[in-house]
Amino acid sequence: MSGKETTVIIGGGIAGVHAAQTLRSEGCRGDIVLFDSDETPPYDRPPLSKEYMLGKVSDSEISIMSREMAEELNIQLKLGVRIDSIHAGQKEVKADDGRTYNWDKLLLATGSKLRKISIPGDHLDQVFYLKKLSDARKMKEKLPGIKSVVLIGAGFIGAELASSFKSLGIHVTMIEKAGLPMARILGREIGRYFLQMHEANGVNVITGDSVAAIIGKDTVEKVVTVHGQEIDCQAVVIGIGVEPNTEISHPELKVDRGYVVNEYGETSIPGIFAAGDCTVWPYKGNNIHVEHWDHAVYHAQAAAKNMIAEKTVPYHRVPYFWSDQYGQRFQYAGHTKEWENTVLRGDMEEGKFTYFYLDKRNIVTAALMVNTPRDVLPVRKLIDREEAVDPALLADSSIAIKKAKVKSPV
């Protein structure tokens, strides 16, 4: 990449910022232009449902690229600008106000967008979604007047907000359409653990039901479920997940849920790369999609290096994410949608265990670590090596995880 080239990055989240910083640290001397539709300088999103909601961190403390930092790195921040189309032949992008910007290399770091529901009353004041800093600010402003809140969805965002609201003395009702929280992703046994944890912390959990309507004159007064339950509340938070933001399209840009990239982060159009939550990428023989902070950072760094020197840094990192709820830390490594067997290491009743997901070859494909931070590194190494394990050895906490692999015959 010559010093005269221009690199355009669309998206000012974790992936976009880390890509821009990596380009500079790896020797890119050309122009770097970072676009984001949000008018707020880039910030970290995971604290929004936890530390920020509890008032433990300020706006400045979750900033990841201030205007001053961007100026020091000679990165042009174009905030409040929404890019809506790519002209690959002309190597330009077009904003929704009609302006165009040229590029030599382009990175799509557009992240994810909220899944939304449409039900009667969803327009009322104090119906919230949580995605951006502005969403969190609005919610925090209203918290002093809220005694009871209904959370729609028992995923990680909903669970983290339940934990935060309970610590603030707010009564929480969580409504989950499935029979158990997180069971589709983590299995029924872990789903029961999450259900019991929420209930033990005073959350009213309603499963196998969904919200039919939100009732109120101007602001939220109660919700009514499909099965006829009525819950009085002063706020509703909708947390039913996200999906890749692939609104910027091009006929030659391959999309299969997310932007499809190769191991170097390049899309189906040469010179256009993508990284983070908006992508589908190759992992252990399959194309997968994850929405993790860790993935956004390292995928963006790898893509940026490949933008400078083509096909030099293949990306094969084992996925990882974490969540803090009710004083407990949950860490998940690997990726799987189905499994042949599971192995419990530790004690669920004590709330300190690692739960392994094995395929039919007894190879660990993923693991959930609950208050066992020392297991994270050996678990990630075990998943990366793809070596068969002895389930009995793996379940034995007195035996090191790295020694649980099946011994080769002499």
Side-chain angles (χ1 to χ4, degrees):
M1 181 181 286
S2 74
K4 294 182 180 180
E5 289 187 335
T6 296
T7 301
V8 165
I9 300 171
I10 303 175
I14 291 294
V17 167
H18 279 270
Q21 292 172 333
T22 301
L23 286 167
R24 280 289 180 246
S25 66
E26 293 291 319
C28 172
R29 297 185 300 278
D31 291 334
I32 300 174
V33 187
L34 179 62
F35 291 92
D36 197 86
S37 59
D38 198 332
E39 296 184 356
T40 305
Y43 52 88
D44 202 11
R45 285 185 170 87
L48 295 181
S49 60
K50 297 167 287 190
E51 296 92 343
Y52 186 84
M53 195 59 59
L54 294 172
K56 294 182 178 180
V57 295
S58 64
D59 291 21
S60 61
E61 288 174 308
I62 63 172
S63 172
I64 55 175
M65 180 173 281
S66 64
R67 295 182 188 276
E68 293 75 19
M69 184 187 300
E71 187 174 343
E72 287 177 11
L73 293 172
N74 193 21
I75 294 169
Q76 300 176 43
L77 279 181
K78 300 282 188 181
L79 302 177
V81 179
R82 184 179 297 277
I83 301 297
D84 61 9
S85 62
I86 299 170
H87 301 152
Q90 295 82 6
K91 286 197 170 183
E92 66 179 22
V93 294
K94 185 178 180 181
D96 60 1
D97 63 3
R99 287 180 293 175
T100 59
Y101 304 87
N102 294 106
W103 51 269
D104 294 289
K105 294 285 178 67
L106 173 65
L107 176 71
L108 301 173
T110 50
S112 58
K113 59 183 179 181
L114 288 167
R115 288 195 178 101
K116 295 191 174 183
I117 59 175
S118 179
I119 55 176
D122 59 11
H123 65 285
L124 292 172
D125 186 33
Q126 299 194 182
V127 174
F128 301 106
Y129 288 88
L130 179 59
K131 176 64 175 172
K132 301 187 296 184
L133 179 57
S134 57
D135 300 328
R137 285 173 178 161
K138 291 176 184 176
M139 204 180 298
K140 277 186 68 177
E141 288 173 2
K142 301 291 186 178
L143 286 179
I146 297 172
K147 295 181 179 180
S148 181
V149 62
V150 167
L151 300 175
I152 301 176
F156 282 107
I157 289 296
E160 289 171 359
L161 284 172
S163 175
S164 296
F165 292 153
K166 287 301 298 183
S167 69
L168 293 170
I170 298 171
H171 182 267
V172 177
T173 297
M174 180 182 288
I175 302 177
E176 169 59 41
K177 190 174 183 179
L180 289 167
M182 305 300 298
R184 183 180 63 83
I185 299 172
L186 301 173
R188 294 187 61 80
E189 191 171 15
I190 296 300
R192 285 190 289 271
Y193 180 87
F194 274 100
L195 176 62
Q196 292 166 5
M197 176 188 67
H198 288 305
E199 291 178 337
N201 282 277
V203 175
N204 175 32
V205 184
I206 299 172
T207 59
D209 203 352
S210 57
V211 175
I214 304 170
I215 308 299
K217 185 177 180 181
D218 297 310
T219 190
V220 173
E221 296 176 13
K222 65 180 176 180
V223 301
V224 178
T225 74
V226 170
H227 292 167
Q229 295 195 58
E230 296 187 7
I231 302 104
D232 292 332
C233 58
Q234 295 79 48
V236 172
V237 182
I238 302 170
I240 56 172
V242 295
E243 57 189 9
N245 182 2
T246 57
E247 293 177 353
I248 300 173
S249 63
H250 185 279
E252 297 175 13
L253 188 60
K254 186 177 180 181
V255 176
D256 182 7
R257 188 179 181 194
Y259 296 119
V260 179
V261 299
N262 61 19
E263 66 268 39
Y264 304 105
E266 193 166 25
T267 69
S268 53
I269 301 178
I272 299 181
F273 293 73
D277 290 6
C278 64
T279 64
V280 170
W281 54 284
Y283 173 75
K284 296 186 181 295
N286 296 296
N287 278 351
I288 70 167
H289 168 76
V290 298
E291 295 147 3
H292 305 163
W293 187 96
D294 182 89
H295 167 66
V297 170
Y298 292 99
H299 197 209
Q301 290 176 348
K305 292 174 183 178
N306 290 314
M307 293 172 80
I308 294 173
E310 292 184 6
K311 299 182 179 180
T312 54
V313 184
Y315 179 78
H316 300 301
R317 188 174 178 84
V318 173
Y320 165 80
F321 73 86
W322 78 95
S323 177
D324 296 321
Q325 304 167 32
Y326 309 108
Q328 298 193 53
R329 167 147 286 199
F330 299 89
Q331 295 167 286
Y332 182 90
H335 180 81
T336 187
K337 291 185 177 179
E338 54 186 28
W339 48 88
E340 188 73 18
N341 192 19
T342 59
V343 172
L344 174 64
R345 180 186 179 94
D347 193 327
M348 279 193 180
E349 291 187 5
E350 292 182 5
K352 188 175 182 181
F353 63 91
T354 296
Y355 195 84
F356 296 90
Y357 301 85
L358 282 62
D359 67 13
K360 61 184 178 182
R361 302 166 296 171
N362 275 342
I363 291 175
V364 175
T365 55
L368 176 70
M369 292 146 280
V370 180
N371 302 314
T372 53
R374 292 183 179 180
D375 285 357
V376 174
L377 185 58
V379 163
R380 293 184 76 167
K381 288 181 177 179
L382 184 64
I383 293 170
D384 192 40
R385 290 197 303 265
E386 296 185 87
E387 295 175 335
V389 298
D390 182 328
L393 296 178
L394 193 62
D396 191 339
S397 298
S398 67
I399 298 173
I401 289 173
K402 66 181 180 180
K403 295 182 179 180
K405 63 181 181 179
V406 173
K407 296 180 180 179
S408 302
V410 179

